[in-house]
Amino acid sequence: MDRPAWAPEGVDMSRPSPARMYDALLGGSHNFEVDRQAAEAGKALVPDLPRLALSNRAFLRRAVRFLVDSGVRQFLDIGSGIPTAGNVHEVAQSIDPECRVLYADIDPVAVAHARAILRDNDRAAAIEADLREPANLLEQARETGIIDFEQPVGILLIAVLHLMADEFDPLGKVNALYDAVPVGSYVAISHLTSATRPDDAAKLVENSANVSRIGLQFRSRPEITALFGKWEPIEPGVVELPLWRPESDRDQHEAPGRSLGLAGMGRKA
């Protein structure tokens, strides 16, 4: 199996990654055959899976615009994945060029591609870090100088917490981030849910274990709401992806009542 020129040395090309599968669902080009096969297996079970990916991406863009409008000028995007059109820095810096963005991901392909894109952007950077080790992640973030932890931070946990089993204490990780940022900071979370389509959720859980070998945690609305922990909820609370402050019909990639993802935002008051 030939390694593409854009893939860092040492990347395991025999095992799919969530970041590269998500890239494949969005029609990106920075993925391997094993990622495309895993994505196709998911689509065979749930044909509208690409709409979920688009809906999640649309929520990210709306969340960033909301945060900039709320005065946030720096973003920590954890589990950022492969950069595609409508990246956080593109959205934020199109509104205010002074915005700073730090991407963090466990996948070296995602980090390498992000660094290539950001080479000429002195207000954005990428680090390889694991949310399961928040102290190390935060220390790396401080070392970049991109994030000033004395000023409000917009933390983005987009489609990442459902990759963390309960045994890794996802709520504890969210609370650790809360403790690290000042009042006026926000967190945005999107998460796969079993609330709307339990049968399809069960199919994808089985597929993730048997085919893609990636453990997915589809959680209920109360479980996802609980993950916000200490953060004060922002209206409209935890809702289906296309229902979180839609800006136009273009945000409606999934029909209400059919979304496999929930999303919300919280503020440190």
Side-chain angles (χ1 to χ4, degrees), residues 180-254:
V181 296
V183 168
S185 296
Y186 291 80
V187 67
I189 295 174
S190 68
H191 196 298
L192 291 173
T193 186
S194 54
T196 54
R197 296 159 61 182
D199 291 345
D200 284 340
K203 292 177 187 177
L204 291 172
V205 167
E206 183 177 3
N207 177 71
S208 74
N210 298 334
V211 178
S212 65
R213 294 176 287 170
I214 295 168
L216 291 178
Q217 309 294 316
F218 280 74
R219 293 184 169 101
S220 67
R221 189 186 304 267
E223 288 172 326
I224 295 170
T225 301
L227 288 176
F228 281 87
K230 305 176 190 178
W231 300 84
E232 182 179 279
I234 299 294
E235 289 295 331
V238 175
V239 297
E240 291 180 53
L241 284 167
L243 299 181
W244 195 89
R245 297 177 179 259
E247 296 170 349
S248 72
D249 291 343
R250 290 177 296 176
D251 290 331
Q252 304 302 309
H253 296 287
E254 300 173 285

Side-chain angles (χ1 to χ4, degrees), residues 57-130:
R57 196 72 186 175
F59 164 70
L60 171 63
R61 291 193 290 268
R62 297 196 304 277
V64 171
R65 286 194 288 267
F66 172 87
L67 291 174
V68 175
D69 289 344
S70 300
V72 173
R73 291 297 181 270
Q74 50 180 2
F75 297 84
L76 177 55
D77 185 358
I78 302 173
S80 52
I82 308 286
T84 58
N87 299 317
V88 176
H89 71 278
E90 290 178 343
V91 176
Q93 292 177 352
S94 70
I95 303 170
D96 184 346
E98 298 298 306
C99 286
R100 301 188 303 278
V101 178
L102 181 62
Y103 296 101
D105 202 280
I106 196 173
D107 188 327
V109 171
V111 176
H113 191 46
R115 286 174 175 166
I117 288 175
L118 302 171
R119 188 174 294 118
D120 298 322
N121 191 326
D122 61 2
R123 293 185 174 275
I127 58 174
E128 187 175 335
D130 188 342

Side-chain angles (χ1 to χ4, degrees), residues 159-176:
V160 64
L161 291 174
H162 54 232
L163 300 172
M164 190 180 296
D166 290 341
E167 66 187 272
F168 291 108
D169 186 21
L171 174 58
K173 307 305 183 283
V174 176
N175 283 338

Side-chain angles (χ1 to χ4, degrees), residues 141-156:
R142 291 186 184 95
E143 290 174 356
T144 66
I146 293 289
I147 303 296
D148 176 2
F149 284 92
E150 299 300 316
Q151 299 296 322
V153 182
I155 297 175
L156 305 172

